[in-house]
């Protein structure tokens, strides 16, 4: 989520051709997601020969107060360079994006217990550097067949720190104690994706076959320091309540997909059908170490966590898209067979699951005039859990709070 947001923010406006909001995605799209889709089409110059451009933008923030925990000067800088080449049969493109920022973020969480109220605020100070690069080509093998390949890669690193302030109030509303936590972390993420694609046009009526094969890898490491102290209402620290941890973690995701889509226009509608194979392997770990006041480290096996998750999905779909006059309709059905296996090295626990689910979709619209239209849509989608939501082990938030996943989610 965060890395995708940073990648999208790194794209400059001159790289985007159009942004399309698909409110009721047809059957050829994956069923994952609890709402519509946003289809971002990037620009690819059609100008013959060599062309390119460079763009730089900067944004500064003014906060009140200007200094938070001794830090100020919050900013975002984006820069990009693009290069394109086109000839009669061959086209190639490449781009390089760099962006960095210094941001202040925060949130507040109130937790109500039978005898206490916890009011937790978290203020984060983050510095990020991101580099992404794109390269690709398309070649016309014949007037009806095009073959191409593309590569997207990047690296992301940032230094961040969180100041958590958690006053604890008793039933009468009086301050009982204050829990203060400081954590810093230094993640580095690398991503690489490769796509091979071909488009075969069988005739001039629009019959065509599109084939895509993709590979994606995401590798992330992080290490952080965590210290928590408890203070009395008069500000005195409670030495026995000091908690210090050092942790390191890693995530390695590999995704392989193969997809084939066919389109056949007819007199009454355009018929589309196809299928997709998807294979996901995600390994992640988080190793915690206790740190004494003398900075001596020892492995904490109760908090350390190691988890591997595999997900294979096979899907088939058919979709009909047509209309007559002011009426338009679209109907489709997608079926997905999903097989998952989660293995906790820490708990020595394996959780296999498999399920077959249908995903129908229907759209009927009527355009009364240029300014008025009516539409009826219905569809079924699935909001699959993230990898961490399936991990049954506990993840530490503060010295007194944690979260864990449910491996039986679908």
């Amino acid at each position: 989520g965060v890395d995708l947001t940073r990648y999208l923010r790194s794209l400059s406006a001159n790289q985007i051709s159009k942004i399309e909001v698909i409110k009721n995605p047809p059957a050829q799209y994956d069923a994952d997601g609890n709402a519509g889709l946003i289809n971002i089409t990037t620009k690819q110059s059609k100008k013959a020969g060599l062309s390119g451009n460079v763009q730089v933008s900067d944004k500064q923030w003014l906060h009140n107060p200007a200094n938070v925990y001794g830090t100020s000067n919050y900013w975002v800088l984006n820069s990009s360079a693009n290069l394109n080449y086109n000839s009669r049969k061959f086209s190639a493109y490449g781009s390089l994006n760099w962006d960095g920022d210094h941001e202040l973020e925060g949130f507040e969480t109130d937790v109500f217990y039978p005898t206490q109220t916890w009011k937790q605020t978290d203020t984060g100070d983050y510095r990020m550097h991101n580099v992404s690069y794109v390269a690709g080509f398309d070649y016309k093998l014949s007037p009806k067949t095009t073959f191409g390949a593309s590569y997207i890669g990047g690296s992301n690193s940032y230094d961040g720190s969180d100041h958590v302030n958690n006053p604890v109030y008793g039933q009468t509303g009086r301050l009982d104690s204050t829990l203060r936590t400081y954590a810093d972390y230094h993640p580095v993420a690398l991503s690489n994706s490769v796509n091979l694609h071909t488009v075969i046009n069988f005739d001039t009526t629009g019959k065509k076959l599109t084939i895509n094969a993709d590979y994606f890898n995401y590798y992330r490491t992080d290490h952080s320091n965590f210290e928590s102290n408890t203070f009395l209402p008069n500000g005195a620290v409670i030495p026995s309540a000091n908690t210090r941890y050092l942790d390191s973690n890693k995530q390695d995701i590999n995704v392989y997909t193969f997809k084939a889509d066919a389109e056949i226009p007819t007199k009454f509608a355009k018929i589309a059908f196809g299928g997709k194979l998807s294979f996901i392997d995600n390994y992640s770990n988080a190793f915690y170490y206790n740190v004494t006041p003398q900075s001596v480290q020892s492995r904490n096996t109760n908090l350390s966590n190691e988890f591997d998750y595999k997900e294979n999905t096979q899907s088939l779909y058919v979709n009909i898209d047509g209309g007559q006059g002011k009426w338009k309709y679209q109907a489709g059905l997608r079926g997905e067979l999903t097989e998952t296996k989660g293995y906790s090295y820490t708990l020595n626990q394996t959780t296999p699951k498999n399920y077959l689910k249908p995903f129908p979709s229907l759209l009927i619209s009527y355009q009364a005039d240029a300014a008025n239209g009516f539409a009826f849509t219905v569809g079924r989608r699935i909001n699959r859990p993230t990898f961490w939501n399936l991990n049954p082990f506990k993840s530490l938030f503060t010295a007194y709070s944690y979260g864990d996943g449910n491996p039986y989610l679908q």
Side-chain angles (χ1 to χ4, degrees):
V2 174
D3 294 291
L4 175 60
T5 300
R6 293 186 183 279
Y7 169 74
L8 293 175
R9 191 171 59 187
S10 71
L11 295 175
S12 60
N14 66 338
Q15 292 179 268
I16 299 175
S17 173
K18 65 177 180 179
I19 299 177
E20 178 186 10
V21 179
I22 305 175
K23 297 180 180 179
N24 189 44
Q28 59 259 44
Y29 292 97
D30 291 345
D32 193 11
N34 57 3
L37 300 175
I38 298 178
N39 183 30
I40 301 176
T41 304
T42 56
K43 288 181 181 178
Q44 189 172 341
S45 175
K46 301 298 182 183
K47 184 185 298 184
L50 194 64
S51 62
N53 63 74
V54 176
Q55 180 170 310
V56 178
S57 65
D58 178 67
K59 181 188 294 185
Q60 297 283 144
W61 283 288
L62 299 177
H63 286 279
N64 186 16
N67 290 278
V68 180
Y69 291 107
T71 305
S72 61
N73 188 29
Y74 299 98
W75 53 272
V76 170
L77 177 66
N78 300 100
S79 60
S80 64
N82 303 280
L83 191 64
N84 301 275
Y85 174 79
N86 290 288
S87 64
R88 189 172 63 89
K89 286 189 173 183
F90 179 78
S91 64
Y93 55 91
S95 68
L96 176 65
N97 298 274
W98 181 91
D99 65 283
D101 66 27
H102 181 197
E103 296 189 26
L104 181 70
E105 299 179 4
F107 65 88
E108 179 177 343
T109 303
D110 295 340
V111 182
F112 300 94
Y113 296 101
T115 60
Q116 290 181 332
T117 298
W118 292 37
K119 292 185 174 294
Q120 177 177 299
T121 59
D122 187 338
T123 303
D125 180 21
Y126 311 108
R127 298 175 185 267
M128 184 275 297
H129 300 281
N130 180 71
V131 179
S132 62
Y133 23 88
V134 178
F137 74 90
D138 288 288
Y139 181 74
K140 290 185 178 180
L141 298 173
S142 70
K144 295 182 179 180
T145 304
T146 301
F147 171 79
S150 64
Y151 168 79
I152 301 176
S155 64
N156 177 277
S157 63
Y158 65 94
D159 294 320
S161 61
D162 278 300
H163 295 263
V164 181
N165 190 61
N166 192 158
V168 179
Y169 298 93
Q171 288 180 303
T172 61
R174 295 182 59 184
L175 180 65
D176 177 76
S177 59
T178 301
L179 175 67
R180 292 182 185 142
T181 302
Y182 174 80
D184 62 66
Y185 34 86
H186 313 275
V188 177
L190 304 174
S191 62
N192 295 278
S193 66
V194 178
N195 169 266
L196 302 175
H197 56 271
T198 184
V199 179
I200 303 173
N201 296 285
F202 293 101
D203 53 35
T204 58
T205 64
K207 295 178 183 178
K208 69 176 182 179
L209 174 66
T210 303
I211 299 175
N212 282 275
D214 293 271
Y215 168 71
F216 171 78
N217 171 257
Y218 178 82
Y219 184 84
R220 183 180 187 269
T221 60
D222 187 8
H223 68 274
S224 62
N225 295 280
F226 172 100
E227 182 172 3
S228 181
N229 288 285
T230 302
F231 297 84
L232 296 173
N234 62 5
V237 66
I238 304 176
S240 61
N242 175 266
T243 304
R244 291 180 64 190
Y245 293 114
L246 168 69
D247 84 272
S248 64
N249 59 70
K250 180 176 76 173
Q251 186 173 40
D252 188 9
I253 304 174
N254 290 280
V255 182
Y256 306 84
T257 62
F258 179 82
K259 184 181 180 185
D261 303 279
E263 293 184 6
I264 302 178
T266 66
K267 293 182 179 180
F268 64 91
K270 180 176 73 174
I271 301 175
F273 59 92
K276 181 179 180 181
L277 303 175
S278 174
F279 305 94
I280 301 174
D281 185 5
N282 173 63
Y283 169 82
S284 55
N285 65 41
F287 298 131
Y288 284 86
Y289 300 85
N290 296 320
V291 182
T292 67
Q294 295 76 31
S295 298
V296 178
Q297 301 176 12
S298 60
R299 179 81 169 268
N300 188 318
T301 57
N302 292 325
L303 292 177
S304 296
N305 177 20
E306 193 172 7
F307 187 67
D308 186 73
Y309 175 79
K310 291 180 172 63
E311 177 182 294
N312 301 331
T313 302
Q314 300 86 44
S315 58
L316 294 172
Y317 76 88
V318 61
N319 193 75
I320 300 175
D321 188 353
Q324 185 174 4
K326 297 182 177 182
W327 289 92
K328 291 184 179 181
Y329 64 88
Q330 175 186 285
L333 177 64
R334 184 182 186 91
E336 293 189 355
L337 173 63
T338 302
E339 302 167 289
T340 68
K341 184 174 73 172
Y343 176 67
S344 172
Y345 293 87
T346 312
L347 302 177
N348 192 24
Q349 174 183 324
T350 301
T351 308
K353 292 194 70 66
N354 63 80
Y355 51 91
L356 174 65
K357 292 184 180 292
F359 299 96
S361 61
L362 175 65
L363 166 65
I364 301 175
S365 66
Y366 176 75
Q367 192 67 39
D369 51 46
N372 298 283
F374 306 89
F376 170 78
T377 63
V378 63
R380 183 172 187 255
R381 299 183 64 77
I382 184 171
N383 191 19
R384 289 193 174 94
T386 64
F387 302 124
W388 279 108
N389 288 340
L390 296 165
N391 189 343
F393 204 77
K394 296 178 177 63
S395 296
L396 188 68
F397 297 152
T398 71
Y400 301 100
S401 62
Y402 67 87
D404 57 4
N406 180 356
Y408 298 98
L409 293 175
Q410 294 186 9

